[in-house]
Amino acid sequence: MIIKKILNNNVIVTENDAGREIIAMGRGIAFNKKRGEQVPQAEIERIYVLSNKNMMEKFKQLLLSLSTDYLQVSSEIIDYAEKILDGKLNDSIYISLTDHIHMAVHRIRNGIVIKNMVLTEVKNFYEKEFQIGRYAVNLINERFEVQMPDDEIGFIALHLIDAQMSDNQPNVNKMIHLMQELINVVRMACQIEFDRESLQYYRFITHLKFFAKRVFSGEQSTNEVEDEMQLMIKKKYAKASDCANKIAALVEKKYNYKVSADEKFYLTIHIAKVISK
């Protein structure tokens, strides 16, 4: 590969066979080399192809200002995350997570700890992402010889949650806040405490995630439930139906989102199952 630009001794800007600009990383691949010189393919350990030019420029600027070690750790975490989550994360994660790790290590080394105000919610609502965040913190602690607090598990998990969303989807902090509001509605209306380890609670939280996305994106549920079925469920699960109506009223008033009859139907079913547990 021909060097187009050297970002540091271990990272260069080059092109792939299709003529697309890429970033290549390898230990010492640019040492004592200049622009226009050839780098053997065997020396390249990893290639980054970001989805658009603007993102690629931001990525290059970031790599100019920090050690390759941060990108290496970030890449390992992303690989692990994509395996656990069984899906490809948004390319922006290479920028946001690498930069976060760099800044977090710098903060910890200087004795600066930032409190994560949504740590409990992230742990409860996004179990897989929190698990990955714990893996990430353990890896960072080992590689950079620091001791990060659990707050960082939550911060890394938030980056992973954001990286699973498209550009037109809502900010995860807004979703978490709304989900907590809705859970409190059910807790207060039904006078219960949830069994957070139960399958019913997991299904309820999963439903709330998608419901929160629809609220902030303005989408409506496309399923059409027959009127007779809606009336039957409303009658059978009166307390759950009352909770669903309270949720609908809150969301319409505070977020200007009209909750459809279908939405209320599915909320009622999930609430009924979780409060019966």
Side-chain angles (χ1 to χ4, degrees):
M1 290 185 169
I2 304 298
I3 298 175
K4 288 184 62 179
K5 185 176 182 178
I6 296 174
L7 299 180
N8 58 54
N9 282 339
N10 305 309
V11 183
I12 63 169
V13 179
T14 182
E15 290 182 352
N16 59 18
D17 293 338
R20 184 174 181 178
E21 187 175 75
I22 61 174
I23 290 175
M25 182 173 72
R27 187 64 62 182
I29 59 173
F31 182 69
N32 279 341
K33 287 188 171 64
K34 298 179 181 179
R35 180 179 177 182
E37 290 190 38
Q38 184 85 25
V39 173
Q41 186 73 36
E43 294 183 9
I44 295 174
E45 299 170 6
R46 190 170 186 122
I47 288 174
Y48 300 88
V49 186
L50 272 64
S51 58
N52 62 65
K53 187 175 180 180
N54 182 48
M55 199 175 295
M56 180 64 88
E57 288 302 316
K58 289 180 181 177
F59 195 34
K60 287 190 287 187
Q61 290 173 21
L62 178 65
L63 296 179
L64 282 169
S65 62
L66 50 77
S67 166
T68 314
D69 292 338
Y70 295 103
L71 177 59
Q72 181 63 48
V73 169
S74 175
S75 298
E76 289 181 41
I77 294 167
I78 293 166
D79 288 345
Y80 178 77
E82 290 182 337
K83 181 179 179 181
I84 297 298
L85 298 171
D86 193 26
K88 186 81 172 64
L89 297 176
N90 191 301
D91 289 345
S92 63
I93 189 68
Y94 285 103
I95 300 171
S96 62
L97 184 58
T98 304
D99 188 45
H100 176 83
I101 293 170
H102 170 245
M103 296 301 294
V105 170
H106 179 77
R107 287 200 313 270
I108 296 303
R109 284 175 174 169
N110 285 276
I112 302 170
V113 176
I114 298 178
K115 194 72 176 172
N116 190 328
M117 303 306 293
V118 293
L119 182 65
T120 301
E121 287 78 7
V122 173
K123 183 178 182 179
N124 290 334
F125 299 159
Y126 294 92
E127 185 177 344
K128 285 185 178 180
E129 289 83 355
F130 197 83
Q131 172 195 336
I132 298 164
R134 190 178 296 282
Y135 164 86
V137 163
N138 289 336
L139 182 63
I140 293 165
N141 286 343
E142 178 187 334
R143 294 289 176 83
F144 297 102
E145 298 182 346
V146 294
Q147 193 59 47
M148 291 189 166
D150 285 353
D151 298 86
E152 286 299 327
I153 297 175
F155 286 130
I156 290 173
L158 286 170
H159 282 289
L160 296 170
I161 297 163
D162 274 331
Q164 295 175 72
M165 298 181 179
S166 60
D167 292 338
N168 61 347
Q169 287 181 319
N171 181 280
V172 67
N173 287 319
K174 292 180 181 179
M175 287 177 53
I176 287 175
H177 180 72
L178 173 57
M179 289 166 66
Q180 190 62 62
E181 283 186 297
L182 303 186
I183 286 172
N184 286 336
V185 168
V186 179
R187 282 180 62 249
M188 298 300 292
C190 299
Q191 293 294 296
I192 64 160
E193 290 300 330
F194 295 107
D195 178 2
R196 297 181 184 274
E197 301 301 319
S198 70
L199 178 60
Q200 290 84 353
Y201 182 77
Y202 174 79
R203 288 171 176 164
F204 178 52
I205 293 302
T206 300
H207 182 77
L208 288 186
K209 289 178 189 177
F210 289 103
F211 177 67
K213 283 184 183 180
R214 288 193 291 273
V215 169
F216 289 109
S217 63
E219 298 175 2
Q220 288 285 344
S221 173
T222 56
N223 297 310
E224 293 186 2
V225 181
E226 294 180 358
D227 292 343
E228 185 178 343
M229 180 65 74
Q230 290 183 23
L231 288 172
M232 184 185 75
I233 292 297
K234 184 176 180 180
K235 184 177 180 180
K236 185 176 181 179
Y237 302 114
K239 184 181 287 188
S241 178
D242 182 56
C243 283
N245 286 331
K246 284 182 168 64
I247 285 173
L250 181 149
V251 169
E252 186 170 354
K253 181 178 180 181
K254 190 170 181 179
Y255 297 96
N256 196 31
Y257 176 84
K258 179 70 174 176
V259 179
S260 68
D262 284 359
E263 294 274 15
K264 290 181 188 178
F265 173 83
Y266 289 110
L267 277 170
T268 299
I269 290 175
H270 282 286
I271 292 168
K273 288 180 178 178
V274 79
I275 65 177
S276 67
K277 174 65 179 177

